[in-house]
Amino acid sequence: MPITHSPLRYPGGKAQLKPFMKELMSTFEVKPLIYIEPFSGGAGLALSLLFDGAASKIILNDYDKAIYSLWYCILYNTEELINKIIDTPVTIDEWYIQKGIYEQKEEADILSLAFSTLFLNRTNRSGILKAGVIGGKEQKGNYKLDCRFNKLGLIDKIRKISFSADCIELHNLDAIEFIEKVIKKQDKNRAFIFFDPPYYGKGKDLYTNFFDREDHGNLFVKINALNDYKWIVTYDNCQEIIDLYKEYYPRVYSLNYSLATKKKATELLFVSKRIEIYSNIKSLNFKV
C-alpha cells in the first residue's frame, strides 16, 4: 500500500489511482484545475494531487459528522488537535474512552469528536470506525493497538495539510445537496470531480453513512445530469452498478485493500462523456 499524505487509514484508499489521474488531468486543455471529492473520506488522492501541483485547489466534502470534524480541526484547529495527539496515551483504556465519545458524536464538541475519529481510525482494524480494536480488547494479538499510531508521523501530515488550508475548501453536505450547491457553481471547464461513493455490496459493513439501492440510483441520476462536467466514478465490481451505469463504458482495474480478509480486488471505473470526447483516455496507461 502506498504511503499517503492523509492521516486517515481507509481500506482500498484511492491514492493508488494517482498515476492514472495525473496522466488524465494532464490531457485537459484548461488549467489550473479544481479537483472535487463529494465523498472525501481519507482524501489521500486529493491531497496527493494538490501537493504534486496537478490541482491548484481541492474541494472536499463528507456527510459523516465525525470525518468532517477531523478535517475541520486539521485545517482550523490544528494546534489543539496536535496537542491532543501528544498528550493522549494510546492504551486500551483510552480506546474505550474515545469509542464512547464517538458513539455520542451528536453531543460531542468538534475537537473531541475529531480526535476520537482519528484515534479509532488509527487503532481499529483496517481503519474502520465500526470495527474492533487492533490486537483485540485483551491485546493478545500479534499487533497492538498503537502499531498504526505514529504520533510524530501524524503530526507531520496534519501540519503539512494545515499549511495548505488556503487551497482546501471543506463541506459537510449530503452528496445530492453538494452537487446542487457546490459542484454546479464551479467553472465546468476547470472542475474535475471524483465520485467515490460507499460500496454497493459491503457498504453497510464499512461506513457509518452507507447507501441503499435507492440512494445509489438517486446519485446516478444526479451524476448522469452533469453532462458538461469532467467526472470519474469508482465502485465495487458488481452487476447492479454495471447495469446502472450501462451507458458508460466500464473499466475494470485491480486495487489493493487493507482489509484483513481481502488483499486485492477489482473495481469499476466510469468516466463522463465529456472526458471520453475531449480527452484521449483510451491511450492512457490504465494500470493500478
Side-chain angles (χ1 to χ4, degrees):
M1 297 290 291
I3 297 174
T4 76
H5 298 285
S6 174
L8 284 167
R9 302 164 57 225
Y10 264 78
K14 295 307 187 296
Q16 299 170 69
L17 281 171
K18 185 178 77 169
F20 166 73
M21 295 288 271
K22 286 185 68 175
E23 189 176 2
L24 175 61
M25 292 165 73
S26 71
T27 70
F28 298 159
E29 292 183 359
V30 179
K31 299 180 181 68
L33 291 168
I34 298 172
Y35 176 83
I36 306 169
E37 288 194 357
F39 303 91
S40 295
L45 177 57
L47 292 169
S48 291
L49 295 173
L50 177 66
F51 292 151
D52 285 3
S56 60
K57 177 182 179 179
I58 59 175
I59 302 178
L60 306 179
N61 177 70
D62 205 292
Y63 184 61
D64 188 331
K65 182 181 178 182
I67 301 299
Y68 167 79
S69 297
L70 178 56
W71 285 117
Y72 183 92
C73 288
I74 288 172
L75 294 174
Y76 307 117
N77 291 341
T78 311
E79 293 306 316
E80 293 91 337
L81 181 61
I82 287 174
N83 287 337
K84 283 262 192 186
I85 294 171
I86 293 171
D87 296 339
T88 305
V90 185
T91 63
I92 194 66
D93 289 339
E94 189 63 39
W95 182 84
Y96 279 108
I97 293 172
Q98 298 304 324
K99 186 172 185 289
I101 293 172
Y102 177 77
E103 290 176 345
Q104 301 295 321
K105 60 183 175 182
E106 295 305 322
E107 288 75 40
D109 65 86
I110 194 167
L111 179 60
S112 296
L113 180 56
F115 181 73
S116 73
T117 303
L118 178 64
F119 190 96
L120 294 178
N121 174 265
R122 303 303 307 189
T123 58
N124 281 7
R125 295 192 301 272
S126 300
I128 300 172
L129 296 176
K130 297 170 66 173
V133 62
I134 298 171
K137 292 179 180 179
E138 296 184 2
Q139 290 294 280
K140 293 182 178 179
N142 292 330
Y143 296 96
K144 309 305 179 186
L145 81 164
D146 62 350
C147 68
R148 299 287 184 268
F149 209 110
N150 178 344
K151 291 191 175 188
L152 293 179
L154 290 173
I155 291 169
D156 286 345
K157 289 182 177 184
I158 289 169
R159 280 222 167 91
K160 183 174 182 179
I161 296 167
S162 73
F163 290 154
S164 297
D166 290 345
C167 301
I168 303 172
E169 183 177 317
L170 180 65
H171 296 272
N172 177 217
L173 298 171
D174 170 80
I176 301 298
E177 188 179 7
F178 180 73
I179 291 172
E180 294 296 327
K181 291 185 175 181
V182 179
I183 290 178
K184 288 188 175 181
K185 289 182 170 55
Q186 303 302 315
D187 180 348
K188 60 187 65 176
N189 293 312
R190 291 185 61 202
F192 177 40
I193 309 112
F194 176 37
F195 291 95
D196 183 31
Y199 292 157
Y200 188 94
K202 293 187 176 182
K204 64 181 180 181
D205 298 324
L206 300 175
Y207 311 106
T208 304
N209 299 293
F210 61 89
F211 276 18
D212 59 22
R213 180 176 300 188
E214 182 178 0
D215 293 327
H216 288 289
N218 291 338
L219 178 63
F220 167 76
V221 171
K222 288 295 184 180
I223 293 175
N224 191 44
L226 295 171
N227 296 317
D228 296 331
Y229 286 85
K230 297 183 286 289
W231 52 257
I232 277 182
V233 178
T234 56
Y235 261 110
D236 46 332
N237 191 353
C238 61
Q239 191 60 48
E240 291 87 350
I241 294 301
I242 293 174
D243 293 342
L244 190 61
Y245 287 80
K246 59 187 175 184
E247 64 184 277
Y248 299 95
Y249 177 72
R251 291 167 171 82
V252 180
Y253 67 98
S254 295
L255 190 69
N256 292 314
Y257 284 77
S258 59
L259 290 168
T261 58
K262 189 186 296 182
K263 298 297 184 182
K264 202 175 188 71
T266 59
E267 289 207 354
L268 299 170
L269 182 144
F270 305 91
V271 302
S272 66
K273 292 175 182 177
R274 182 169 183 187
I275 290 179
E276 288 283 10
I277 293 171
Y278 296 107
S279 297
N280 192 14
I281 191 171
K282 293 182 177 61
S283 70
L284 297 183
N285 183 26
F286 186 55
K287 293 182 180 179
V288 179

